[in-house]
Amino acid sequence: MDYFSGLQLKDLGFLAEAAGRTLLISGVSIGIGSLVGLIFGWLLTVLGRTGRFLLNAVLDVFRSIPLLIQLVLFYNLFPIIGFSLGPFAAGTLVLTVYTVALVSNVTRSGLESVSPDLRRAARSLGLSYWQDMRHIVWPVGLRAVFPAWVGVALSVVKDSALVSVLGYVELLRASQTLITRTQEPLIILAIAGAFYFALSFPMARAASLYEKRWAQ
Amino acid sequence: MIDITNLHKRFGPLHVLKGINLTVDKGEVLSVIGSSGSGKSTLLYCINGLESIQDGSIRVDDTEVHHPKTDLNRLRQKLGMVFQQWNSFPHLTALENVALAPRIVKGQSKSEASERASEQLNHVGLGDKLDSYPHALSGGQQQRLAIARALAMEPSLMLFDEATSALDPELVGEVLDTMRMLAREGMTMICVTHEMGFARDVSDRVAYFHQGIMEEIGPPEQLFNTPQSEHTRAFLSKVR
Amino acid sequence: MDYNFHWQPVIGRLPDLLLASLDTLQVAALSIVLGIVIGLLLAILRMNARGRWTPLQWFAVAWIEIARNTPVLFQLFFFGFGLGAWGWHLSPFMIVLAGLSFNCAGYLAENFRGGFQSIPDTQYRAARSVGMSAGQTYYHIIIPQVLRKVWHPLTNQIVWAVLMSSLGMLVGYQELTGSAQYFASRTYRIFEYFAVVALIYYALVKLILMASRMLGWRLFRSEGGV
Ligand SMILES: Nc1ncnc2c1ncn2[C@@H]1O[C@H](COP(=O)(O)OP(=O)(O)OP(=O)(O)O)[C@@H](O)[C@H]1O
Ligand SMILES: [Mg+2]
């Protein structure tokens, strides 16, 4: 079974396991981050001036500092304040906050894209504020948010590769280790790249088709 | 002046103009009417070379429009065109919209082009809007801007493609008035229009298009009062 | 909390860090310029793909999709280890430049394509109907409008290139983040160094956004700025 010199079958298992970790850490972060991000995005449309400004300023920090720096900072902050988090926990925390910052942004613009005319029409039919939210703003707004959200989620999957800097062995970190050992960079990079591509490309395509259809 | 013989135009399998023969003399105003999809816009696009043709010929002042050696950019300077959607250039002021082509196509100096542009804008009643951007103009004003833009090239012929049909009713009048003024000044014009009143009052002849064929052409009184063709009669009874 | 913050060594290194941030800006700026040029070419190639695809169009689509659907770090590794396998060894600076340019070109190509497609056909016809040549139409009518359409995404891409150049640390290029790590590793003051560097990035990003807004405001006054 020695198709690739130096690269063994159990190495593929090692890569598969690492790919699983990529999926795990990005899945958890996207899941929690999206929920919180939706709420924050909505808050951004209903809060008063000051509240909106403050919340936006805080979220903006996470969009204006390299993710790599955020990871290193948080990872080193916890021992300072007296307890330590493993790479997975610290990585998940940072990726989640990062997701919140991105999702709240796309949610806000999606909700704001619901036309005031539509809402006035709804209210004129006698819908209450919450009924308007529940039956008009959220369904219409979320449909507008969905493609952008897919984009955010896919970028979190790709950016999860940076958690490797904390020593978390996700797919790229595993590839790097294997490359150093086997000196077979091309085949290993091809496998890793193909994994990301196979995950991201179909979803991005589907989202853009959805967006086109919805735009008409 | 314009001489169209046996013009055929196809979009792939779709046969849009099926053998048009038409002559328009200098100073004449021709209105073209007909239902949607009958090929009226396509005719205008063919005349100024924005669309290719498959058979026949179009001559403008003895220039063969679709001859490979014809310099279309030069020819188009003679043919002003106004579209249904006014297509003002959104990133330029009214004055710049009008002055751009004379400057870069005709090579006029900046000051000369601006001066003439402001004359044209005055002419169409936009003398007080020289520095406005299109988004600050009403539809009717934008359409008059488009007319001024075409006039600035000093064309000898103007093509209007439903210049008023995207306008709110109360704005139609100002654009039609501008077109009337041009007709009085002796401009040669081909006007695709849905405004039967305009066609009747202003034009020397009216042509009715039906499914890619010029069904009927004649003076307005004749075409509106005693239409010869079945299709013309049916069309007129619907629009009146 | 029995940790004592030590900021003095970091403050002492501030001049070095600021110098390193020039490297960050330089590599980001170069990759944006390359990204714009290549991105335009890719967009034009892809837009002309109607019906049958030529090898050149396949190449453009492959570039765009790989750039957008794999991690940047993967792309950097490719220009590092990957090319190394073919005996082509790039310097750390070149790895970052190649990786970021590759990535920016792919994203910008799609922005440009969207920009071009959002300009109605009728604008082109209107310009041609007053006798402008194809070149004049693009230069005077189409490009200025596309520029306005892509201004915002282009700004985001510039910010993004600055942020992602921090990956230089992982391939041995000593831009801002790489230098911070280098100094930190000698003093074990990782948190302090990275906190200061975070502030510098934040300031850089705000500066870029402000410059873009001011320039955009001047360029696009006609429609009330960006
Ligand atoms: N670029 C094109 N490609 C394919 N078909 C076209 C194209 N332009 C026009 N057509 C078709 O040619 C036919 C004639 O179109 P044209 O625009 O000339 O009609 P029209 O008489 O101007 O109608 P309207 O009153 O709606 O403007 C229509 O069936 C139209 O769908
Ligand atoms: Mg038409």
Side-chain angles (χ1 to χ4, degrees), chain C residues 98-173:
Chain C
L100 288 189
S101 304
F102 176 82
N103 191 273
C104 288
Y107 277 90
L108 287 175
E110 287 298 88
N111 290 331
F112 291 149
R113 191 163 71 107
F116 276 108
Q117 287 174 345
S118 73
I119 309 296
D121 244 19
T122 50
Q123 284 282 312
Y124 187 81
R125 294 201 145 172
R128 295 308 296 269
S129 80
V130 283
M132 289 187 213
S133 66
Q136 287 173 326
T137 302
Y138 270 93
Y139 184 75
H140 291 282
I141 305 300
I142 309 291
I143 302 275
Q145 294 185 54
V146 171
L147 187 62
R148 181 189 145 71
K149 284 266 158 55
V150 302
W151 192 254
H152 191 65
L154 182 61
T155 305
N156 283 341
Q157 193 67 31
I158 295 173
V159 166
W160 188 94
V162 168
L163 296 182
M164 280 300 157
S165 66
S166 62
L167 298 189
M169 174 183 115
L170 301 178
V171 293
Y173 179 54

Side-chain angles (χ1 to χ4, degrees), chain C residues 170-183:
Chain C
L170 301 178
V171 293
Y173 179 54
Q174 300 219 338
E175 36 61 66
L176 185 50
T177 309
S179 313
Q181 189 214 23
Y182 173 72
F183 297 136

Side-chain angles (χ1 to χ4, degrees), chain A residues 19-93:
Chain A
R21 283 196 209 98
T22 287
L23 289 180
L24 178 68
I25 197 164
S26 37
V28 173
S29 310
I30 292 168
I32 305 174
S34 298
L35 277 180
V36 181
L38 279 175
I39 296 172
F40 280 15
W42 170 69
L43 278 177
L44 284 172
T45 65
V46 295
L47 283 179
R49 243 168 191 284
T50 349
R52 206 164 40 194
F53 176 81
L54 288 177
L55 182 54
N56 214 359
V58 172
L59 293 171
D60 183 56
V61 168
F62 297 96
R63 297 188 293 254
S64 308
I65 294 174
L67 185 58
L68 192 60
I69 305 262
Q70 295 181 35
L71 286 162
V72 174
L73 267 181
F74 272 90
Y75 191 56
N76 286 283
L77 174 67
F78 287 104
I80 293 175
I81 56 179
F83 59 100
S84 91
L85 285 182
F88 176 78
T92 308
L93 188 73

Side-chain angles (χ1 to χ4, degrees), chain C residues 19-35 76 91-102 104 157-158 160-169 171 173-177 201:
Chain C
L19 274 180
S21 67
L22 290 183
D23 289 319
T24 287
L25 287 179
Q26 172 184 301
V27 77
L30 284 175
S31 45
I32 282 294
V33 170
L34 282 173
L76 289 182
S91 69
F93 168 75
M94 283 304 293
I95 294 175
V96 178
L97 179 61
L100 288 189
S101 304
F102 176 82
C104 288
Q157 193 67 31
I158 295 173
W160 188 94
V162 168
L163 296 182
M164 280 300 157
S165 66
S166 62
L167 298 189
M169 174 183 115
V171 293
Y173 179 54
Q174 300 219 338
E175 36 61 66
L176 185 50
T177 309
Y201 275 108

Side-chain angles (χ1 to χ4, degrees), chain A residues 57 60-61 63-69 72-74 76-77 79-82 98 154-155 157-159 161-162 164-165 172-173 175-176 179-180 185-186 188-190 192-194 196-198 200-202 204-205 212, chain C residues 1-3 5 46 62 65-74 77-79 81-86 107 110 113 159-160 162-164 166-170 177 190-192 194-195 197-199 201-202 205-206 209:
Chain A
D60 183 56
V61 168
R63 297 188 293 254
S64 308
I65 294 174
L67 185 58
L68 192 60
I69 305 262
V72 174
L73 267 181
F74 272 90
N76 286 283
L77 174 67
I80 293 175
I81 56 179
Y98 183 64
L154 291 178
S155 73
V157 173
K158 287 177 276 174
D159 290 341
L162 299 190
S164 60
V165 75
L172 269 191
R173 174 75 175 224
S175 317
Q176 201 182 359
I179 289 173
T180 315
L186 287 180
I188 295 170
L189 280 180
Y196 286 109
F197 193 86
S200 169
F201 180 72
R205 253 299 132 86
K212 267 190 207 125
Chain C
M1 189 166 112
D2 46 13
Y3 183 90
F5 288 100
R46 187 170 192 170
E65 296 302 345
I66 291 175
R68 293 165 59 89
N69 290 297
T70 59
V72 206
L73 186 55
F74 165 81
F77 280 1
F78 176 80
F79 286 103
F81 308 124
L83 290 189
W86 283 312
Y107 277 90
E110 287 298 88
R113 191 163 71 107
V159 166
W160 188 94
V162 168
L163 296 182
M164 280 300 157
S166 62
L167 298 189
M169 174 183 115
L170 301 178
T177 309
I190 299 179
F191 183 84
E192 287 90 333
F194 275 69
V197 164
L199 277 179
Y201 275 108
Y202 187 81
V205 167
K206 292 295 152 194
L209 290 178

